[in-house]
Amino acid sequence: MKKQFLEAGRIVGTHGVRGEMRVEPWCDSADFLKKVKTLYFDGGKTDAGLLSSRVHKSLLLVRLKGVESATQADLYRGKVLYLDRNDVRLPKNRYFVEDLIGLHVIDDATGAEYGTVQDVFETGANNVYRIVNGAGEEFLFPAVDAMIAKTDIESGKLFVKPIPGIFGDGAETVPVNAGEAADAD
């Protein structure tokens, strides 16, 4: 089940003397996070009272209601900010990392199950999925269009087109419903 509120970033310090705070974005960029008009604390339970935001280098600078000094702002250091998934639109074939974690990785052609996505790493060129199978073996899988047939968040499955040897010989064959892999386009 998809979470309504997702981690957006963490307050890492203050900026200036008027209560502005530096936020380390945990999403694509500070530019992406700047488009969000409402941020939350406490896993989405409390409106953070966002007054303004602006990009500064790779960080987002924010002002919150009731925070007028660096001393007050410093009390927020280390707090995590959340966004409501309904407040953002992702481009086609882009997903929240939290939605990818736990997907069952299945060979689009054979139906073999390779394990589940445990983590997503950003490498600059493309993301890499860390996949762990039932025996605890780990595999690093490049998240490139040529190797991903279909990402189905709703069913919890990631259909892949792996190159030979990327998963070794450890694939477990799991029956796939007729036509499921063929619909992966």
Side-chain angles (χ1 to χ4, degrees):
M1 184 168 171
K2 294 194 277 188
K3 292 181 182 178
Q4 185 65 34
F5 294 93
L6 305 168
E7 294 178 348
R10 180 177 41 133
I11 298 172
V12 295
T14 62
H15 184 81
V17 296
R18 295 198 171 113
E20 211 168 22
M21 292 170 253
R22 295 181 296 128
V23 175
E24 172 188 52
W26 290 348
C27 50
D28 283 354
S29 66
D31 286 317
F32 176 86
L33 192 53
K34 184 186 182 324
K35 296 174 187 171
V36 178
K37 301 301 179 202
T38 307
L39 294 171
Y40 302 86
F41 289 123
D42 307 316
K45 296 176 187 162
T46 308
D47 187 331
L50 182 65
L51 294 174
S52 66
S53 65
R54 63 188 175 104
V55 175
H56 178 70
K57 299 180 182 176
S58 64
L59 300 175
L60 185 71
L61 302 179
V62 299
R63 299 239 13 223
L64 304 180
K65 287 181 187 173
V67 181
E68 303 295 329
S69 70
T71 303
Q72 290 174 320
D74 198 47
L75 298 174
Y76 290 86
R77 185 186 305 262
K79 285 195 168 262
V80 175
L81 290 165
Y82 293 81
L83 61 85
D84 184 332
R85 74 169 51 245
N86 292 333
D87 291 344
V88 296
R89 295 281 177 252
L90 296 178
K92 185 178 179 180
N93 295 326
R94 297 292 302 256
Y95 305 94
F96 292 111
V97 170
E98 290 186 48
D99 292 340
L100 295 171
I101 303 296
L103 290 181
H104 294 276
V105 181
I106 299 170
D107 190 301
D108 188 52
T110 67
E113 183 169 338
Y114 297 114
T116 58
V117 177
Q118 299 294 312
D119 205 351
V120 177
F121 303 108
E122 292 182 38
T123 65
N126 56 269
N127 288 344
V128 173
Y129 298 158
R130 183 173 67 89
I131 299 168
V132 178
N133 67 14
E137 294 174 294
E138 293 187 13
F139 306 98
L140 297 178
F141 187 84
V144 294
D145 290 344
M147 294 177 65
I148 296 179
K150 180 180 178 184
T151 303
D152 189 346
I153 301 294
E154 299 304 320
S155 73
K157 296 177 181 174
L158 174 66
F159 294 94
V160 297
K161 300 182 279 189
I163 58 175
I166 199 163
F167 289 109
D169 297 327
E172 177 183 336
T173 303
V174 176
V176 175
N177 294 340
E180 186 174 54
D183 293 339
D185 293 346

